[in-house]
Amino acid sequence: MASISLRSLTKRFGTTVAVNNLNLDLEEGELVALLGPSGCGKTTTLRMIAGFEEADSGTISFGGRDVTSLPPERRNTGMVFQNYALFPHLTVAQNVAFGLEMRKVPKAEIARRVDAILDKVQLRELADRYPRQLSGGQQQRTALARALVINPSVLLLDEPLANLDAKLREEMRFYIRSLQQEFGITTVYVTHDQSEALVLADRIAVMKDGVLQQVGTPTDIYQRPGNAWVADFIGLTNLVPGVITDREGSRVLVDTDLGVLSGTGSDGLRTGDQVLLSIRPESLRITSGTDTAHPGDTLDGAERNRLVGVVRERAYLGNLVDYRIEVGERVRLRVQTAPVPAYDVGDRVVLSFSDDQAWVVSDEGSVSRGDHRAEAALA
């Protein structure tokens, strides 16, 4: 295994900058997910790491060794493609052995290593089957086995679960993670699926329009997004616009259309800044509306931020209920909570949240859904 270092990596296709001055480091044995919407540059970055695309500028290093100009076969990478790219005329065992044969590994060693890896991915009994005779999950495990059997320094995965059904995709997330940890291979995992990234990755690198937006652990990315776009893109959130009126340490007071609310923010925020309060739907507590609290109340602890509202929509999702609560003119907040107690459309309720459950980000005007002020957090 090897560390990976990308420095000032840039790739253009005509006038389009697919990847713009990307700097990213992966430690040995680490799994980093490149996450972002279609066209953000994540797959182009992966293909440059693999050697299938030539960078216009910048460098790529494995374990301190510059591989920027090396062809794919000299980089010792294993790659799993979105469509698996299995040879239809070869059996499972022959597909897995292909990379070893290209490397002129002795036949006895090939047989030993293929047998061992098929055991690992639980495909020994299917060794003589052809890809057309396999399920989607079995094809995916065959592709993984083929990538792992060559003992690569780096494992590259390009949306490997995209063609699987939802239940199998969820199962395979944990399977891939356990294999990656067992082999200890430095891994780059490309996905547009936020759940995959949160489950699988040691760290997530979020990209937009070829530019790296934020790198951090899944917890950091979800709870402490670096900007408004990341807050909006990752998971579900309510974005309430306002202006910072004061701050005490990490606590930030924000004047909004709903009154003065408080949250937690980074050191770079200053009084007078236009900001967004990012509040996750599960962070809002909902109680009966018999309370007389009103927007702007200042109370202690978890009760500092309180909003009176009316249930306008509800959706029962089994393990939770998804509410849309009207809390002000043109403002609805999304709340997800346990099914009990239940609230009906038209019920008056009180919402509350604690300072540390509301993250304040700069309002950069980059929220993807357009006018977030009109929606004010219709996540």
Side-chain angles (χ1 to χ4, degrees), residues 352-366:
S352 60
F353 60 93
S354 60
D355 292 350
D356 60 1
Q357 293 296 309
W359 183 245
V360 182
V361 294
S362 176
D363 185 354
E364 299 174 343
S366 60

mmCIF file with all atom_site columns, all heavy atoms in Angstrom, residues 352-366:
data_model
loop_
_atom_site.group_PDB
_atom_site.id
_atom_site.type_symbol
_atom_site.label_atom_id
_atom_site.label_alt_id
_atom_site.label_comp_id
_atom_site.label_asym_id
_atom_site.label_entity_id
_atom_site.label_seq_id
_atom_site.pdbx_PDB_ins_code
_atom_site.Cartn_x
_atom_site.Cartn_y
_atom_site.Cartn_z
_atom_site.occupancy
_atom_site.B_iso_or_equiv
_atom_site.pdbx_formal_charge
_atom_site.auth_seq_id
_atom_site.auth_comp_id
_atom_site.auth_asym_id
_atom_site.auth_atom_id
_atom_site.pdbx_PDB_model_num
ATOM 1   N N   . SER A 1 352 ? -37.686 23.388 18.850 1.00 0.00 ? 352 SER A N   1
ATOM 2   C CA  . SER A 1 352 ? -36.538 23.904 19.592 1.00 0.00 ? 352 SER A CA  1
ATOM 3   C C   . SER A 1 352 ? -35.288 23.176 19.145 1.00 0.00 ? 352 SER A C   1
ATOM 4   O O   . SER A 1 352 ? -35.339 22.043 18.652 1.00 0.00 ? 352 SER A O   1
ATOM 5   C CB  . SER A 1 352 ? -36.745 23.738 21.106 1.00 0.00 ? 352 SER A CB  1
ATOM 6   O OG  . SER A 1 352 ? -36.903 22.368 21.448 1.00 0.00 ? 352 SER A OG  1
ATOM 7   N N   . PHE A 1 353 ? -34.153 23.846 19.283 1.00 0.00 ? 353 PHE A N   1
ATOM 8   C CA  . PHE A 1 353 ? -32.869 23.227 18.944 1.00 0.00 ? 353 PHE A CA  1
ATOM 9   C C   . PHE A 1 353 ? -31.785 23.890 19.770 1.00 0.00 ? 353 PHE A C   1
ATOM 10  O O   . PHE A 1 353 ? -31.906 25.038 20.204 1.00 0.00 ? 353 PHE A O   1
ATOM 11  C CB  . PHE A 1 353 ? -32.568 23.352 17.448 1.00 0.00 ? 353 PHE A CB  1
ATOM 12  C CG  . PHE A 1 353 ? -32.496 24.762 16.932 1.00 0.00 ? 353 PHE A CG  1
ATOM 13  C CD1 . PHE A 1 353 ? -31.282 25.439 16.861 1.00 0.00 ? 353 PHE A CD1 1
ATOM 14  C CD2 . PHE A 1 353 ? -33.643 25.422 16.519 1.00 0.00 ? 353 PHE A CD2 1
ATOM 15  C CE1 . PHE A 1 353 ? -31.212 26.736 16.384 1.00 0.00 ? 353 PHE A CE1 1
ATOM 16  C CE2 . PHE A 1 353 ? -33.587 26.731 16.035 1.00 0.00 ? 353 PHE A CE2 1
ATOM 17  C CZ  . PHE A 1 353 ? -32.369 27.385 15.964 1.00 0.00 ? 353 PHE A CZ  1
ATOM 18  N N   . SER A 1 354 ? -30.715 23.158 20.011 1.00 0.00 ? 354 SER A N   1
ATOM 19  C CA  . SER A 1 354 ? -29.612 23.672 20.819 1.00 0.00 ? 354 SER A CA  1
ATOM 20  C C   . SER A 1 354 ? -28.574 24.361 19.945 1.00 0.00 ? 354 SER A C   1
ATOM 21  O O   . SER A 1 354 ? -28.517 24.138 18.731 1.00 0.00 ? 354 SER A O   1
ATOM 22  C CB  . SER A 1 354 ? -28.957 22.543 21.620 1.00 0.00 ? 354 SER A CB  1
ATOM 23  O OG  . SER A 1 354 ? -28.446 21.552 20.753 1.00 0.00 ? 354 SER A OG  1
ATOM 24  N N   . ASP A 1 355 ? -27.742 25.182 20.560 1.00 0.00 ? 355 ASP A N   1
ATOM 25  C CA  . ASP A 1 355 ? -26.713 25.918 19.830 1.00 0.00 ? 355 ASP A CA  1
ATOM 26  C C   . ASP A 1 355 ? -25.822 25.000 19.002 1.00 0.00 ? 355 ASP A C   1
ATOM 27  O O   . ASP A 1 355 ? -25.497 25.296 17.851 1.00 0.00 ? 355 ASP A O   1
ATOM 28  C CB  . ASP A 1 355 ? -25.808 26.686 20.810 1.00 0.00 ? 355 ASP A CB  1
ATOM 29  C CG  . ASP A 1 355 ? -26.541 27.812 21.510 1.00 0.00 ? 355 ASP A CG  1
ATOM 30  O OD1 . ASP A 1 355 ? -27.671 28.123 21.100 1.00 0.00 ? 355 ASP A OD1 1
ATOM 31  O OD2 . ASP A 1 355 ? -25.980 28.364 22.476 1.00 0.00 ? 355 ASP A OD2 1
ATOM 32  N N   . ASP A 1 356 ? -25.399 23.887 19.611 1.00 0.00 ? 356 ASP A N   1
ATOM 33  C CA  . ASP A 1 356 ? -24.431 23.027 18.934 1.00 0.00 ? 356 ASP A CA  1
ATOM 34  C C   . ASP A 1 356 ? -25.056 22.178 17.830 1.00 0.00 ? 356 ASP A C   1
ATOM 35  O O   . ASP A 1 356 ? -24.356 21.432 17.149 1.00 0.00 ? 356 ASP A O   1
ATOM 36  C CB  . ASP A 1 356 ? -23.681 22.145 19.936 1.00 0.00 ? 356 ASP A CB  1
ATOM 37  C CG  . ASP A 1 356 ? -24.609 21.235 20.718 1.00 0.00 ? 356 ASP A CG  1
ATOM 38  O OD1 . ASP A 1 356 ? -25.836 21.262 20.482 1.00 0.00 ? 356 ASP A OD1 1
ATOM 39  O OD2 . ASP A 1 356 ? -24.106 20.484 21.578 1.00 0.00 ? 356 ASP A OD2 1
ATOM 40  N N   . GLN A 1 357 ? -26.374 22.281 17.647 1.00 0.00 ? 357 GLN A N   1
ATOM 41  C CA  . GLN A 1 357 ? -27.046 21.561 16.569 1.00 0.00 ? 357 GLN A CA  1
ATOM 42  C C   . GLN A 1 357 ? -27.376 22.477 15.394 1.00 0.00 ? 357 GLN A C   1
ATOM 43  O O   . GLN A 1 357 ? -28.013 22.054 14.434 1.00 0.00 ? 357 GLN A O   1
ATOM 44  C CB  . GLN A 1 357 ? -28.335 20.922 17.092 1.00 0.00 ? 357 GLN A CB  1
ATOM 45  C CG  . GLN A 1 357 ? -28.109 19.811 18.103 1.00 0.00 ? 357 GLN A CG  1
ATOM 46  C CD  . GLN A 1 357 ? -27.366 18.638 17.494 1.00 0.00 ? 357 GLN A CD  1
ATOM 47  O OE1 . GLN A 1 357 ? -27.727 18.124 16.447 1.00 0.00 ? 357 GLN A OE1 1
ATOM 48  N NE2 . GLN A 1 357 ? -26.305 18.195 18.160 1.00 0.00 ? 357 GLN A NE2 1
ATOM 49  N N   . ALA A 1 358 ? -26.938 23.724 15.472 1.00 0.00 ? 358 ALA A N   1
ATOM 50  C CA  . ALA A 1 358 ? -27.140 24.680 14.378 1.00 0.00 ? 358 ALA A CA  1
ATOM 51  C C   . ALA A 1 358 ? -25.778 25.233 13.971 1.00 0.00 ? 358 ALA A C   1
ATOM 52  O O   . ALA A 1 358 ? -25.125 25.917 14.753 1.00 0.00 ? 358 ALA A O   1
ATOM 53  C CB  . ALA A 1 358 ? -28.075 25.803 14.816 1.00 0.00 ? 358 ALA A CB  1
ATOM 54  N N   . TRP A 1 359 ? -25.355 24.923 12.763 1.00 0.00 ? 359 TRP A N   1
ATOM 55  C CA  . TRP A 1 359 ? -24.033 25.342 12.293 1.00 0.00 ? 359 TRP A CA  1
ATOM 56  C C   . TRP A 1 359 ? -24.184 26.549 11.373 1.00 0.00 ? 359 TRP A C   1
ATOM 57  O O   . TRP A 1 359 ? -24.982 26.537 10.431 1.00 0.00 ? 359 TRP A O   1
ATOM 58  C CB  . TRP A 1 359 ? -23.351 24.192 11.562 1.00 0.00 ? 359 TRP A CB  1
ATOM 59  C CG  . TRP A 1 359 ? -21.964 24.489 11.090 1.00 0.00 ? 359 TRP A CG  1
ATOM 60  C CD1 . TRP A 1 359 ? -21.533 24.563 9.800  1.00 0.00 ? 359 TRP A CD1 1
ATOM 61  C CD2 . TRP A 1 359 ? -20.806 24.730 11.910 1.00 0.00 ? 359 TRP A CD2 1
ATOM 62  N NE1 . TRP A 1 359 ? -20.183 24.839 9.754  1.00 0.00 ? 359 TRP A NE1 1
ATOM 63  C CE2 . TRP A 1 359 ? -19.709 24.941 11.038 1.00 0.00 ? 359 TRP A CE2 1
ATOM 64  C CE3 . TRP A 1 359 ? -20.597 24.788 13.285 1.00 0.00 ? 359 TRP A CE3 1
ATOM 65  C CZ2 . TRP A 1 359 ? -18.429 25.218 11.502 1.00 0.00 ? 359 TRP A CZ2 1
ATOM 66  C CZ3 . TRP A 1 359 ? -19.305 25.060 13.746 1.00 0.00 ? 359 TRP A CZ3 1
ATOM 67  C CH2 . TRP A 1 359 ? -18.243 25.263 12.864 1.00 0.00 ? 359 TRP A CH2 1
ATOM 68  N N   . VAL A 1 360 ? -23.423 27.600 11.654 1.00 0.00 ? 360 VAL A N   1
ATOM 69  C CA  . VAL A 1 360 ? -23.522 28.849 10.907 1.00 0.00 ? 360 VAL A CA  1
ATOM 70  C C   . VAL A 1 360 ? -22.464 28.876 9.812  1.00 0.00 ? 360 VAL A C   1
ATOM 71  O O   . VAL A 1 360 ? -21.277 28.686 10.081 1.00 0.00 ? 360 VAL A O   1
ATOM 72  C CB  . VAL A 1 360 ? -23.344 30.067 11.842 1.00 0.00 ? 360 VAL A CB  1
ATOM 73  C CG1 . VAL A 1 360 ? -23.504 31.362 11.057 1.00 0.00 ? 360 VAL A CG1 1
ATOM 74  C CG2 . VAL A 1 360 ? -24.348 30.006 12.992 1.00 0.00 ? 360 VAL A CG2 1
ATOM 75  N N   . VAL A 1 361 ? -22.905 29.094 8.569  1.00 0.00 ? 361 VAL A N   1
ATOM 76  C CA  . VAL A 1 361 ? -21.977 29.171 7.434  1.00 0.00 ? 361 VAL A CA  1
ATOM 77  C C   . VAL A 1 361 ? -22.174 30.490 6.705  1.00 0.00 ? 361 VAL A C   1
ATOM 78  O O   . VAL A 1 361 ? -23.256 31.089 6.739  1.00 0.00 ? 361 VAL A O   1
ATOM 79  C CB  . VAL A 1 361 ? -22.180 27.996 6.443  1.00 0.00 ? 361 VAL A CB  1
ATOM 80  C CG1 . VAL A 1 361 ? -21.811 26.688 7.081  1.00 0.00 ? 361 VAL A CG1 1
ATOM 81  C CG2 . VAL A 1 361 ? -23.598 27.961 5.908  1.00 0.00 ? 361 VAL A CG2 1
ATOM 82  N N   . SER A 1 362 ? -21.136 30.928 6.034  1.00 0.00 ? 362 SER A N   1
ATOM 83  C CA  . SER A 1 362 ? -21.223 32.162 5.255  1.00 0.00 ? 362 SER A CA  1
ATOM 84  C C   . SER A 1 362 ? -22.212 31.994 4.118  1.00 0.00 ? 362 SER A C   1
ATOM 85  O O   . SER A 1 362 ? -22.272 30.941 3.477  1.00 0.00 ? 362 SER A O   1
ATOM 86  C CB  . SER A 1 362 ? -19.837 32.512 4.694  1.00 0.00 ? 362 SER A CB  1
ATOM 87  O OG  . SER A 1 362 ? -19.903 33.639 3.861  1.00 0.00 ? 362 SER A OG  1
ATOM 88  N N   . ASP A 1 363 ? -23.007 33.014 3.882  1.00 0.00 ? 363 ASP A N   1
ATOM 89  C CA  . ASP A 1 363 ? -23.969 32.995 2.788  1.00 0.00 ? 363 ASP A CA  1
ATOM 90  C C   . ASP A 1 363 ? -23.260 33.441 1.517  1.00 0.00 ? 363 ASP A C   1
ATOM 91  O O   . ASP A 1 363 ? -23.139 34.629 1.227  1.00 0.00 ? 363 ASP A O   1
ATOM 92  C CB  . ASP A 1 363 ? -25.140 33.933 3.107  1.00 0.00 ? 363 ASP A CB  1
ATOM 93  C CG  . ASP A 1 363 ? -26.238 33.879 2.054  1.00 0.00 ? 363 ASP A CG  1
ATOM 94  O OD1 . ASP A 1 363 ? -26.028 33.207 1.025  1.00 0.00 ? 363 ASP A OD1 1
ATOM 95  O OD2 . ASP A 1 363 ? -27.291 34.490 2.262  1.00 0.00 ? 363 ASP A OD2 1
ATOM 96  N N   . GLU A 1 364 ? -22.798 32.462 0.747  1.00 0.00 ? 364 GLU A N   1
ATOM 97  C CA  . GLU A 1 364 ? -22.021 32.767 -0.456 1.00 0.00 ? 364 GLU A CA  1
ATOM 98  C C   . GLU A 1 364 ? -22.873 32.783 -1.710 1.00 0.00 ? 364 GLU A C   1
ATOM 99  O O   . GLU A 1 364 ? -22.364 32.897 -2.818 1.00 0.00 ? 364 GLU A O   1
ATOM 100 C CB  . GLU A 1 364 ? -20.908 31.720 -0.617 1.00 0.00 ? 364 GLU A CB  1
ATOM 101 C CG  . GLU A 1 364 ? -19.940 31.706 0.555  1.00 0.00 ? 364 GLU A CG  1
ATOM 102 C CD  . GLU A 1 364 ? -18.940 30.577 0.469  1.00 0.00 ? 364 GLU A CD  1
ATOM 103 O OE1 . GLU A 1 364 ? -19.190 29.627 -0.303 1.00 0.00 ? 364 GLU A OE1 1
ATOM 104 O OE2 . GLU A 1 364 ? -17.920 30.644 1.157  1.00 0.00 ? 364 GLU A OE2 1
ATOM 105 N N   . GLY A 1 365 ? -24.182 32.605 -1.535 1.00 0.00 ? 365 GLY A N   1
ATOM 106 C CA  . GLY A 1 365 ? -25.064 32.623 -2.697 1.00 0.00 ? 365 GLY A CA  1
ATOM 107 C C   . GLY A 1 365 ? -24.891 31.424 -3.594 1.00 0.00 ? 365 GLY A C   1
ATOM 108 O O   . GLY A 1 365 ? -25.208 31.472 -4.786 1.00 0.00 ? 365 GLY A O   1
ATOM 109 N N   . SER A 1 366 ? -24.399 30.286 -3.008 1.00 0.00 ? 366 SER A N   1
ATOM 110 C CA  . SER A 1 366 ? -24.098 29.128 -3.839 1.00 0.00 ? 366 SER A CA  1
ATOM 111 C C   . SER A 1 366 ? -25.035 27.963 -3.607 1.00 0.00 ? 366 SER A C   1
ATOM 112 O O   . SER A 1 366 ? -24.768 26.864 -4.053 1.00 0.00 ? 366 SER A O   1
ATOM 113 C CB  . SER A 1 366 ? -22.659 28.666 -3.559 1.00 0.00 ? 366 SER A CB  1
ATOM 114 O OG  . SER A 1 366 ? -22.505 28.321 -2.192 1.00 0.00 ? 366 SER A OG  1
#
